[in-house]
Amino acid sequence: MSDAKKKLLLIGYRAYGDFLYALPVIGKLLIGYDVHFELNGKGYELFHDDPRFSGITFFDMDTWMRKEPRPELAEIVKARWTKLEEELKPDKVINLIDTLETECIAGSHMPIFHAPVEERRALFGKKNFYDAVLKKCGFDENVDNIGGLYFSEQQIAWGKGWRAGQQNDFVIVMPLAGSCCHKVYPDMPRLCYDILETYPNAVIYLTGDESVAHAQWAHPRIKHTCGKIPFKQALMMAKHADYVFGGETGILVGAGMWGTPKTMLCTASSIYQTVKYHDNDYSMQAGVKCSPCHRAVYTTADCENMIADGEDIYPACIKSFDYEDILDTVRKVYDNRNIYNKEYYERYVERALTPLGSELYQSRWETIERYCHESNMSLLDYGCASGAFHKSSRNGFNATGFDVNPYSEFKTLPDEKIDILTMWDVIEHLKDPKEILSSLTPEWVFISTPNKDAHYGDLKTWKHYRPDEHLHHFNLGTLSDLFGKCGYKILESNYDEGSIRDPRDPRQILTVVARRI
């Protein structure tokens, strides 16, 4: 540390989200001072490995609160601070305690806590959490960077690796609870299941501490992390997720720090207070007259508007959000973050209604009928979009479809074995074509795909080069190798479909017929 810098003792016994709201202040202080940070457990978890601080000390506030009445604890804390000042001899002391509870919301010890809600709104309504901390610490309300939390190279690499394994998934992070009862969304289980049913590529990570681990529910695409990972790791997940949803909790503040699309359910606080500086924000205000109440509601006794839901009791604010509005928000985020969205789906719906669509379907059926003659053979069109092709089935084929696009009505693979698998402009989109072929094990496979051999020179100049959409680029040789490994032999390859779609260069589209050996 530079000898020219003055020494600062910074004290923070706060919740996770409160620390994140203080990051602009902390960044400014680190520029001007050698900072020693005195922290509670949550702060220690966030900052203990940050090399920018000259020192870190830890006071287990939560344990002491369970052991000592408040008056005695206050004396213990004051004595600790006095001892720290004697040892460190700082030029300045800044205490972050209650910078939000007294500046932006009312603590239960404040007379205005019990005043009419209009008085609290007049006092607190125009105070943003970031601005209030800056002002309390003597800085201009000029927020130029809401990030700045330190992450090690190992932590950063973990986040990238975590997401790399699920590039094609719609990854959602959902904290189950926060420090207060108005931060628990009662319809979270229902929302999870509705999302998973609607979006076949959705994966939901539930986060929280050990206290909410029992509340988790089962589904193959729900990942349970409550009590299993530290908060800082959950923040890294929020950075790389596609969407974060929850109450007024630290993970939602972290999503704002990263600019990850999110919906914070604002109840005690207002949208202006909590997410003013956040990008990609879809936050909602509770639909009751008492919200925002600008209160620190830590217990049910702190709220006069509690309502029953079966055996549970919730503040009315957290129960007042329009469920359909939430689902609409999820749709908006999905469509913005996913290639296979509503616009993509409608493009194929429209093409099916054109003369080109009709000509393609006729050509495809003629190809199938050259090889498959038995009546009532089962056919699955994988990647069927609106289902226009398999709905045009003829000559007794028992045809159905499947598509990963959430706007398709065909979201379920058949349970029974299929005779024929078709994939028209699909195989190049699949993350693992071999896995699909091996799991479905049809007798016959009919596909069309862009033909890499039709392009010369730099692959990136090819019109079918779409790196986020086309995950593979095939020619007859690579298709023969793929089918051979899956137990199939290619019986025919042609450019019939290419001649319809691209008459000037029919080799652009390769059609292949394969049969199980």
Side-chain angles (χ1 to χ4, degrees):
M1 294 292 180
S2 170
D3 294 335
K5 284 187 177 182
K6 292 184 177 181
K7 296 180 180 179
L8 172 71
L9 171 59
L10 182 62
I11 300 170
Y13 303 154
R14 304 163 66 81
Y16 291 125
D18 295 351
F19 277 113
L20 298 181
Y21 283 124
L23 285 176
V25 160
I26 294 171
K28 291 178 182 293
L29 293 174
L30 285 166
I31 293 173
Y33 294 92
D34 283 347
V35 180
H36 181 100
F37 213 166
E38 161 75 354
L39 297 163
N40 62 343
K42 291 179 179 179
Y44 187 81
E45 182 180 342
L46 290 174
F47 297 104
H48 75 278
D49 57 350
D50 191 331
R52 297 173 296 175
F53 294 100
S54 60
I56 298 281
T57 46
F58 164 62
F59 180 67
D60 190 358
M61 174 66 83
D62 292 338
T63 298
W64 280 97
M65 287 181 69
R66 290 191 293 269
K67 291 169 54 179
E68 299 287 346
R70 282 190 177 273
E72 286 80 355
L73 177 58
E75 292 303 316
I76 293 170
V77 170
K78 288 180 182 178
R80 178 175 178 85
W81 295 345
T82 299
K83 184 178 180 182
L84 278 171
E85 289 192 52
E86 292 173 351
E87 292 176 352
L88 298 172
K89 296 180 174 56
D91 297 288
K92 186 174 183 178
V93 178
I94 291 181
N95 197 325
L96 297 176
I97 291 179
D98 288 343
T99 48
L100 296 185
E101 284 81 350
T102 60
E103 294 296 311
C104 295
I105 55 177
S108 58
H109 62 287
M110 300 169 64
I112 198 169
F113 185 90
H114 304 284
V117 66
E118 290 78 14
E119 293 186 26
R120 289 193 299 278
R121 288 176 184 165
L123 181 62
F124 299 125
K126 295 182 179 180
K127 294 183 177 181
N128 173 267
F129 287 175
Y130 292 104
D131 296 335
V133 181
L134 284 164
K135 183 177 180 181
K136 185 75 178 287
C137 297
F139 292 100
D140 293 334
E141 297 174 21
N142 179 24
V143 176
D144 50 9
N145 180 16
I146 61 174
L149 185 64
Y150 172 80
F151 287 86
S152 68
E153 291 184 4
Q154 183 179 8
Q155 291 166 336
I156 293 170
W158 180 89
K160 292 179 179 178
W162 172 76
R163 186 58 208 244
Q166 42 196 346
Q167 284 295 324
N168 297 321
D169 295 331
F170 180 43
V171 178
I172 304 173
V173 172
M174 289 187 175
L176 291 183
S179 56
C180 310
C181 53
H182 60 92
K183 301 179 181 182
V184 179
Y185 181 54
D187 280 336
M188 194 76 89
R190 175 188 174 194
L191 179 62
C192 283
Y193 288 126
D194 282 348
I195 288 174
L196 294 169
E197 182 178 353
T198 303
Y199 306 102
N201 65 327
V203 179
I204 297 175
Y205 285 81
L206 303 179
T207 67
D209 60 22
E210 295 87 348
S211 67
V212 293
H214 68 282
Q216 300 183 79
W217 41 93
H219 191 282
R221 286 183 281 130
I222 292 179
K223 310 299 180 182
H224 305 287
T225 70
C226 295
K228 298 178 181 179
I229 63 172
F231 181 82
K232 203 167 182 180
Q233 188 173 352
L235 281 180
M236 189 55 68
M237 289 166 56
K239 175 179 181 178
H240 293 283
D242 294 296
Y243 183 52
V244 181
F245 175 91
E248 295 177 23
T249 71
I251 292 296
L252 274 294
V253 185
M257 176 179 70
W258 300 119
T260 303
K262 70 162 185 319
T263 298
M264 180 187 288
L265 301 179
C266 295
T267 49
S269 305
S270 70
I271 291 175
Y272 173 83
Q273 287 183 307
T274 53
V275 300
K276 172 185 175 182
Y277 294 107
H278 294 177
D279 295 327
N280 301 313
D281 181 68
Y282 298 84
S283 293
M284 302 177 179
Q285 192 72 48
V288 290
K289 292 182 179 180
C290 58
S291 175
C293 64
H294 302 296
R295 279 176 163 178
V297 183
Y298 290 115
T299 70
T300 56
D302 294 327
C303 175
E304 299 97 352
N305 198 4
M306 302 292 294
I307 59 176
D309 183 4
E311 297 180 356
D312 298 315
I313 300 177
Y314 296 95
C317 54
I318 198 64
K319 291 281 292 180
S320 68
F321 293 94
D322 188 298
Y323 189 73
E324 290 302 319
D325 284 350
I326 292 173
L327 292 180
D328 284 343
T329 300
V330 177
R331 291 186 193 103
K332 291 176 185 176
V333 175
Y334 183 91
D335 284 352
N336 287 338
R337 304 283 285 190
N338 285 267
I339 293 172
Y340 307 113
N341 54 24
K342 187 175 183 180
E343 180 182 355
Y344 193 98
Y345 171 75
E346 290 178 345
R347 189 190 317 158
Y348 284 90
V349 172
E350 292 170 2
R351 191 171 83 170
L353 301 175
T354 65
L356 174 65
S358 298
E359 189 175 358
L360 281 174
Y361 299 157
Q362 180 175 336
S363 175
R364 291 168 180 175
W365 283 116
E366 288 173 354
T367 302
I368 293 170
E369 290 163 357
R370 285 204 298 270
Y371 294 92
C372 301
H373 312 293
E374 297 178 21
S375 62
N376 205 33
M377 293 183 74
S378 60
L379 179 148
L380 172 66
D381 186 27
Y382 195 101
C384 68
S386 65
F389 170 69
H390 75 260
K391 288 178 181 178
S392 66
S393 176
R394 58 197 197 186
N395 294 341
F397 289 104
N398 180 20
T400 187
F402 170 80
D403 201 288
V404 298
N405 194 305
Y407 294 94
S408 172
E409 64 180 289
F410 303 99
K411 300 176 184 176
T412 305
L413 287 168
D415 293 328
E416 65 276 5
K417 181 175 171 54
I418 57 173
D419 300 313
I420 304 166
L421 174 66
T422 61
M423 290 190 286
W424 311 113
D425 290 332
V426 170
I427 196 168
E428 66 273 11
H429 297 252
L430 301 178
K431 182 179 179 181
D432 190 351
K434 183 179 178 182
E435 192 276 331
I436 299 297
L437 290 169
S438 300
S439 62
L440 295 176
T441 64
E443 179 73 13
W444 294 91
V445 181
F446 298 81
I447 72 164
S448 63
T449 187
N451 177 21
K452 187 172 67 172
D453 282 353
H455 181 76
Y456 302 96
D458 186 359
L459 189 65
K460 293 181 179 180
T461 65
W462 188 27
K463 64 181 179 180
H464 292 293
Y465 179 77
R466 304 169 193 169
D468 295 328
E469 184 180 356
H470 293 175
L471 307 182
H472 307 276
H473 303 99
F474 291 107
N475 59 18
L476 184 57
T478 54
L479 284 173
S480 297
D481 182 61
L482 170 65
F483 279 109
K485 290 178 179 178
C486 296
Y488 291 87
K489 181 180 180 180
I490 291 180
L491 302 183
E492 178 185 340
S493 63
N494 63 60
Y495 308 117
D496 293 350
E497 184 156 323
S499 65
I500 297 171
R501 291 166 54 181
D502 199 346
R504 294 183 180 181
D505 190 4
R507 293 181 69 251
Q508 288 288 334
I509 303 298
L510 177 64
T511 300
V512 162
V513 179
R515 186 175 188 179
R516 177 168 286 279
I517 300 172

